[in-house]
Amino acid sequence: MYQLIKKYKYWRFKNTFLLVVSLVLFFYFADTSYVKNIISSIGDLGYLGAFIAGIFFVSTFTVAPASIVLFYLAKELHPIEIALIAGLGSVLGDYIIFRFLKDRVFEEIKPVFMRLGGFRLSHLLATPYFAWFAPVLGAIIIASPFPDEIGITLLGISKLKNWQFLTLSFALNSLGILIIITLAHSL
């Protein structure tokens, strides 16, 4: 057992492996009554529920249940307050994804990327056109109801400072959530 733990500790793709395992587990448990009860319970928490839903609003795999919670809250609470509080939660969710992807997963897959012709793509990423286009496209994706991982990746490539990323994430996610819950509130 000790040897297995030691091998895992120095295994090159351990964070990528954990990401894949977590996705598989999520899909396995996503449709259970237990998970549905958790979603309902979060909706009963009011503004704290909005913050928690904001954290989960940013991921491909949790955007649907988070949206349901926000729709439910939009019927009972003020939409601007929900958007701001859920926007704070989404900043936390985005930052966790940003740090995990930037510090761990990207570093693990970088050698594989370079072996598969990454030099050509690296030259494309270094052009001034891409340097301008990547943050704009990333911002559009984050403001949209689409999951944020691709937008976060584009902003991470564009080398934004942490405070710039956090400010942009808050503003864009709050705006996107406000649009969604305003539409839900009007229906």
Side-chain angles (χ1 to χ4, degrees):
M1 181 70 169
Y2 177 73
Q3 289 295 84
L4 183 62
I5 293 172
K6 188 175 179 180
K7 284 183 182 180
Y8 177 77
K9 182 178 177 182
Y10 295 106
W11 187 33
R12 186 174 176 181
F13 299 104
K14 66 183 169 196
N15 292 302
T16 307
F17 175 75
L18 286 174
L19 179 65
V20 170
V21 167
S22 68
L23 296 177
V24 169
L25 289 175
F26 174 78
F27 283 120
Y28 181 74
F29 290 112
D31 200 29
T32 64
S33 62
Y34 179 73
V35 171
K36 290 177 183 175
N37 289 337
I38 290 173
I39 292 169
S40 175
S41 298
I42 291 172
D44 294 336
L45 294 175
Y47 291 115
L48 179 60
F51 181 80
I52 294 168
I55 293 171
F56 292 106
F57 187 75
V58 300
S59 175
T60 302
F61 309 102
T62 56
V63 69
S67 297
I68 292 168
V69 171
L70 292 172
F71 285 160
Y72 174 74
L73 290 171
K75 294 178 182 178
E76 299 178 16
L77 303 172
H78 194 277
I80 292 176
E81 293 171 347
I82 293 171
L84 293 174
I85 293 170
L88 287 173
S90 67
V91 169
L92 178 61
D94 275 347
Y95 190 69
I96 290 168
I97 293 169
F98 179 70
R99 297 307 303 178
F100 181 73
L101 289 176
K102 186 176 180 182
D103 292 344
R104 294 184 176 91
V105 175
F106 287 160
E107 290 303 316
E108 287 179 359
I109 61 174
K110 187 176 182 178
V112 174
F113 169 75
M114 294 311 252
R115 274 191 235 137
L116 296 175
F119 294 109
R120 290 185 192 111
L121 188 56
S122 295
H123 290 297
L124 172 67
L125 298 177
T127 64
Y129 301 111
F130 189 82
W132 177 85
F133 182 69
V136 171
L137 183 60
I140 291 169
I141 291 170
I142 288 177
S144 74
F146 297 114
D148 291 358
E149 286 92 341
I150 295 171
I152 293 169
T153 301
L154 290 171
L155 290 176
I157 290 171
S158 66
K159 299 182 182 174
L160 287 176
K161 294 179 174 78
N162 282 341
W163 71 269
Q164 292 170 321
F165 172 77
L166 296 173
T167 304
L168 195 58
S169 173
F170 174 71
L172 295 170
N173 279 308
S174 294
L175 178 65
I177 291 169
L178 179 63
I179 291 169
I180 290 169
I181 60 177
T182 301
L183 290 173
H185 191 64
S186 66
L187 296 177

